[in-house]
Amino acid sequence: MAVRLQEPEPRGEAMSNPMKRDASAAEAIDPVCGMSVDRVRARWSTSFEGETIYFCNPRCLEKFTSEPGKYVHKAARTSPSPPPPRPGAIYVCPMHPEVAVDHPATCPKCGMALEPRVATLEEGESPEVIDMRRRFWGSALLTAPIVLTSMGAMLPGHPLASLAADRWKNAAELALSAPVVLWGGEPFFARAWASVKLRSPNMFTLVALGSGAAFAYSVVATLAPGLFPARAGGHGAHVGVYFEAASVIVTLVLLGQLLELRARSQTGEALRALLRLAPKTARRVTSEGETDVGVDDLRVGDRVRVRPGERIPIDSTVLEGRSWCDESMITGEPVPAEKSPGDRVTGGTLNGPGPLLVEVQRTGDGTLLAQIVRMVGEAARSRAPVQKLADRVSAVFVPAVIAISAATFVVWMLVGPEPRMAHALVNAVAVLIIACPCALGLATPMSIMVGTGRGATLGVLIKNAEALDRLEKVDTLVIDKTGTLTQGRPEVVTVQTFEPFDRNELLAMCAALESRSEHPLGAAIVRAAGPSRTSKHVSRVETFGGEGVSGSVDGKRLVIGSGRMLARLGIQGPDEAEVDRLREGGDSVVLVAVDDRLAGLIGIADPVKATSKDAVRELRAAGLAVVMLTGDSAVTAKAVARKVGIDDVRAGVLPAGKADVIEELQRQGRRVAMAGDGINDAPALARADVGIAMGAGTDVAIESAGITLVRGDLRGLVVARRLSQATMRNIRQNLALSFVYNLLGVPVAAGLLYPLFGIVLSPMIAAAAMSLSSVSVIANALRLRSVPL
């Protein structure tokens, strides 16, 4: 397939800026790796011989420009007859997530079938599974008679000895094995050839070398036996053939690939289960009546009727009605949540006994369900730090195995027993087959995929594998107070005024000014004042980060904030004893001044979440040091800390100083996680080793965090911690299984046990063991679906 070219660019400009982006290179084919240049990702281009050449990623570009002219401007797809792509779908490799294309294919690095980046609800089996199953059963039917005739001499009475002379028997095996190796094994040889072109040997390189060597040797031995020396013959001086080994190797590897593809499909079952929750239609309410429409046709502001027992079609706000919603499938919380006018409901959750009229708030990719699927999909394709070890081993593993196989062949030819050629070939092929590194490559991504999917069903969204890895190592948890330990919906409980100010008038003025603020305490004042604030004229609003706000309300200068803020402005504060009395009950106290004169104080209470105390106790029992961080006063902060069982309290910390506290703890050698929900928490979340956002918080906080707790409950952090420990433990088990398997398998296949016990490993057994190792790694990863959390 020829590279699609754009208008020629000046050579000097392109080569001086080899990382130039170009968004118009759709459908171009990378001349280095043959991958389709993705429509969505940035294109990389350079000029070569007057032509503009496009690349799928910078590494391919660097490889091209380092040796200009080495690569031809065409490349064949590595997957024969790929299925048609889904519009807009991106396919990535489970082992190499940087490989991303816009069509189904195989990875040019490892040869594995690419998977959709985002989970889908496609009906039926994947094309890869169908193709592998067809090849496996066809190969198995042809391999069975080959194995039967080859093993006939081992049967009691030798019932098959008179079927044919050796040369006709060999010819029959050649006729039967050729379709198995050339058709059944065709994907393996195609992927092996691609790995050779890219100088990136992988498991298919070893499979193709092993089965190809056995088959080629047998073909020559059948068609031209005279080319072999007499000592190459077996019993009766006939040259031995290994059609059964080549055929069985291909058939067993096909079986392993089939089992692996099926097992891999199960790792995404958690995401598909979430996708199935979303209804396809909704009952839209308009002035003309009610009509059923597709969910994709809904727009923000549309009104939708949800009947009892139906699923909420899309993220909305309740306008009318009261009911209970089962949100366990998204939040992991088994107790249904009460819903009334003003409450938010999430698409895919199950409505209870009462009818609801809701207004659509989010559509398409903006819904919580879509964000969960996207985030989990991206996390599943990310790489954990522990993967670096596997990457370093894999980089030298295949060349080392080929060298060991060659050495095995030479040693058996020089000092092995007769027939030396046969023994040398069998053991060299066994080394190639048993050492396939697929299990090593699958060890980490399979566990990450299952673990992040399991977390999504429990209300724990993991942004990337690195966050999962770091959370396991965290020893200190810093928790923001408002919205994290507390409900985040504070209410005005006390309004105390000083002469000559009227309570209701002062509250209305404060609400008018606070309506221009984003602070949750300000929102409580606005709710307490009701509609009375709307008649006020507000101007010259100025906010003081974390301390308060000032402005002009009906021509009067109004200041709302902390005592520290008023003191800095030269305004006399109230009696501290009165303020502390309110704070000791856990209330936050806001001071109000009008025209530089103290006018009153407002006590605001933010109730502690019922689950916070139990969550803190469990976190401390797990060995975590818990620190509460807040901009509130020390008296109020300590009152809340006593209720939830936290001893270490950092109060009076401004938003800009929260990241400094995190940095101070890190300088002490601690590994710190930060849990928060507001915009002012974003810098601290980004600075921490692991940022944890409450699902009810702001989008900025969620984007800055590595982990999001959908239900905004610290009990989700307990689950996340256990999930990280279980996932990382599972990864280490997989890596250990892969390393031990290869460390033991390769020496045995090379014949290390032959001098002592006379044991030689058959290539057929090696192929079965290789396939079993990959399946066992995936099976171990799937255990994460049922690990108690």
Side-chain angles (χ1 to χ4, degrees):
M1 181 179 292
V3 175
R4 178 179 174 181
L5 303 176
Q6 298 288 323
E7 291 296 323
E9 296 178 353
R11 179 180 177 88
E13 176 188 347
M15 293 303 289
S16 64
N17 183 20
M19 307 295 275
K20 179 179 177 181
R21 296 174 183 260
D22 192 310
S24 61
E27 302 296 345
I29 299 298
D30 188 316
V32 177
C33 70
M35 308 297 286
S36 173
V37 177
D38 192 279
R39 285 193 182 90
V40 178
R41 300 172 70 215
R43 252 71 59 177
W44 309 89
S45 66
T46 189
S47 178
F48 179 70
E49 295 181 353
E51 299 172 323
T52 303
I53 310 298
Y54 298 97
F55 298 83
C56 66
N57 66 69
R59 270 177 290 220
C60 280
L61 174 59
E62 291 166 3
K63 197 170 184 180
F64 181 89
T65 55
S66 64
E67 298 181 75
K70 185 170 183 178
Y71 303 97
V72 295
H73 297 176
K74 61 182 180 179
R77 294 183 189 273
T78 56
S79 175
S81 304
R86 296 195 322 273
I90 303 301
Y91 296 82
V92 298
C93 174
M95 288 168 55
H96 302 92
E98 69 274 12
V99 176
V101 299
D102 59 0
H103 59 272
T106 54
C107 177
K109 293 185 176 181
C110 65
M112 295 183 67
L114 304 186
E115 298 176 343
R117 174 177 289 164
V118 179
T120 62
L121 277 177
E122 291 180 338
E123 297 295 331
E125 294 178 305
S126 70
E128 292 84 5
V129 171
I130 296 173
D131 180 62
M132 283 295 171
R133 184 172 58 233
R134 183 175 65 249
R135 293 179 189 272
F136 165 70
W137 284 113
S139 299
L141 290 174
L142 294 172
T143 300
I146 301 175
V147 174
L148 189 61
T149 56
S150 298
M151 302 303 176
M154 300 180 184
L155 299 177
H158 307 288
L160 304 177
S162 60
L163 285 181
D166 278 350
R167 66 176 180 275
W168 298 113
K169 173 177 157 300
N170 290 353
E173 289 185 3
L174 171 59
L176 290 171
S177 65
V180 175
V181 176
L182 301 179
W183 171 73
E186 187 265 343
F188 310 148
F189 289 100
R191 298 172 190 182
W193 178 241
S195 74
V196 171
K197 291 193 299 181
L198 294 177
R199 297 180 183 150
S200 179
N202 54 49
M203 67 163 286
F204 295 105
T205 313
L206 301 181
V207 170
L209 280 174
S211 59
F215 181 73
Y217 173 88
S218 302
V219 169
V220 175
T222 299
L223 301 180
L227 296 177
F228 292 88
R231 66 176 185 175
H235 296 291
H238 295 293
V239 179
V241 294
Y242 298 95
F243 289 118
E244 81 282 359
S247 300
V248 171
I249 288 171
V250 170
T251 302
L252 288 176
V253 175
L254 283 169
L255 175 61
Q257 288 291 293
L258 179 60
L259 295 175
E260 179 187 309
L261 286 168
R262 286 180 172 175
R264 280 166 55 187
S265 69
Q266 295 180 39
T267 61
E269 184 57 33
L271 282 184
R272 286 190 289 274
L274 287 175
L275 286 172
R276 293 189 193 103
L277 299 176
K280 303 299 182 186
T281 61
R283 194 164 187 81
R284 184 163 57 191
V285 179
T286 65
S287 57
E288 300 176 355
E290 299 181 3
T291 55
D292 288 334
V293 299
V295 171
D296 292 340
D297 295 328
L298 293 175
R299 297 292 179 266
V300 175
D302 284 353
R303 296 188 172 195
V304 174
R305 181 83 62 192
V306 184
R307 288 166 288 197
E310 290 184 338
R311 290 199 179 275
I312 308 295
I314 203 163
D315 294 5
S316 313
T317 300
V318 177
L319 297 178
E320 298 176 5
R322 294 179 180 274
S323 186
W324 296 83
C325 285
D326 180 358
E327 300 177 335
S328 59
M329 63 289 297
I330 290 180
T331 66
E333 176 58 58
V335 180
E338 185 177 5
K339 300 297 179 182
S340 56
D343 290 336
R344 292 183 177 182
V345 288
T346 303
T349 56
L350 186 64
N351 185 30
L356 296 175
L357 179 66
V358 301
E359 181 178 87
V360 176
Q361 297 296 322
R362 295 183 177 183
T363 61
D365 292 340
T367 64
L368 177 61
L369 194 58
Q371 291 178 32
I372 289 175
V373 171
R374 183 179 67 252
M375 184 178 290
V376 175
E378 291 173 352
R381 307 304 177 197
S382 61
R383 301 174 78 80
V386 70
Q387 179 69 22
K388 294 178 181 178
L389 174 62
D391 290 343
R392 286 195 296 268
V393 172
S394 297
V396 298
F397 188 78
V398 175
V401 168
I402 294 175
I404 293 172
S405 177
T408 299
F409 184 87
V410 171
V411 170
W412 278 88
M413 280 293 294
L414 294 176
V415 299
E418 296 292 349
R420 292 179 179 177
M421 176 69 78
H423 282 97
L425 178 66
V426 166
N427 287 280
V429 169
V431 169
L432 290 172
I433 298 302
I434 202 168
C436 287
C438 188
L440 183 63
L442 289 171
T444 298
M446 291 299 104
S447 297
I448 294 295
M449 188 179 298
V450 178
T452 52
R454 175 78 187 281
T457 63
L458 298 174
V460 178
L461 300 186
I462 299 160
K463 193 171 187 179
N464 52 53
E466 186 175 4
L468 198 64
D469 181 80
R470 289 182 173 182
L471 182 60
E472 182 203 28
K473 302 179 178 68
V474 162
D475 55 30
T476 302
L477 175 64
V478 176
I479 306 177
D480 177 58
K481 178 177 75 71
T482 304
T484 306
L485 287 168
T486 63
Q487 292 181 4
R489 188 179 172 86
E491 300 293 338
V492 173
V493 293
T494 303
V495 178
Q496 182 176 337
T497 59
F498 303 106
E499 293 292 342
F501 299 100
D502 175 73
R503 177 189 185 280
N504 293 334
E505 176 64 15
L506 184 66
L507 188 61
M509 291 176 64
C510 292
L513 181 58
E514 289 287 7
S515 64
R516 308 291 183 90
S517 167
E518 297 292 335
H519 199 281
L521 297 185
I525 295 174
V526 172
R527 287 192 297 272
S532 61
R533 65 181 174 83
T534 57
S535 61
K536 305 295 183 182
H537 175 70
V538 180
S539 61
R540 297 198 299 275
V541 178
E542 184 179 2
T543 59
F544 301 83
E547 291 191 296
V549 61
S550 69
S552 174
V553 179
D554 287 345
K556 298 178 181 179
R557 184 169 188 258
L558 182 66
V559 177
I560 309 172
S562 64
R564 181 173 53 225
M565 175 183 170
L566 266 65
R568 192 168 64 250
L569 296 176
I571 301 173
Q572 181 66 40
D575 181 12
E576 284 298 319
E578 176 63 20
V579 175
D580 288 343
R581 185 183 64 79
L582 294 175
R583 288 172 175 165
E584 286 172 357
D587 294 356
S588 298
V589 179
V590 176
L591 307 182
V592 184
V594 178
D595 290 335
D596 297 334
R597 177 182 176 185
L598 184 67
L601 53 88
I602 301 175
I604 303 174
D606 186 6
V608 173
K609 293 177 181 176
T611 58
S612 292
K613 184 176 181 179
D614 291 339
V616 169
R617 184 179 65 251
E618 290 189 51
L619 290 166
R620 295 182 65 176
L624 291 178
V626 182
V627 179
M628 189 176 82
L629 189 63
T630 178
D632 219 330
S633 69
V635 177
T636 302
K638 289 179 179 179
V640 174
R642 282 195 301 270
K643 294 179 182 178
V644 298
I646 296 177
D647 300 324
D648 192 347
V649 179
R650 312 290 176 95
V653 181
L654 298 179
K658 290 186 176 182
D660 295 335
V661 173
I662 300 294
E663 190 171 358
E664 175 193 342
L665 292 170
Q666 290 172 330
R667 282 198 299 268
Q668 297 173 9
R670 302 196 195 184
R671 296 185 176 180
V672 183
M674 165 72 184
D677 76 324
I679 293 176
N680 59 354
D681 297 323
L685 292 173
R687 183 68 184 85
D689 294 283
V690 182
I692 302 164
M694 299 293 111
T698 65
D699 291 340
V700 174
I702 292 173
E703 284 298 318
S704 303
I707 293 175
T708 300
L709 308 181
V710 174
R711 65 175 179 256
D713 185 340
L714 278 179
R715 287 180 303 176
L717 181 52
V718 177
V719 172
R721 168 86 169 173
R722 292 172 180 167
L723 178 64
S724 72
Q725 293 171 330
T727 303
M728 300 313 299
R729 183 168 57 247
N730 191 272
I731 289 174
R732 286 190 284 269
Q733 291 169 352
N734 283 344
L735 289 174
L737 183 65
S738 303
F739 282 125
V740 169
Y741 165 82
N742 282 295
L743 288 174
L744 295 178
V746 171
V748 172
L752 188 64
L753 299 181
Y754 183 81
L756 299 175
F757 307 104
I759 296 176
V760 177
L761 189 66
S762 165
M764 295 181 285
I765 297 176
M770 183 271 290
S771 298
L772 182 62
S773 69
S774 298
V775 174
S776 63
V777 163
I778 299 175
N780 187 52
L782 289 172
R783 290 192 310 108
L784 286 171
R785 297 191 299 181
S786 57
V787 169
L789 297 175

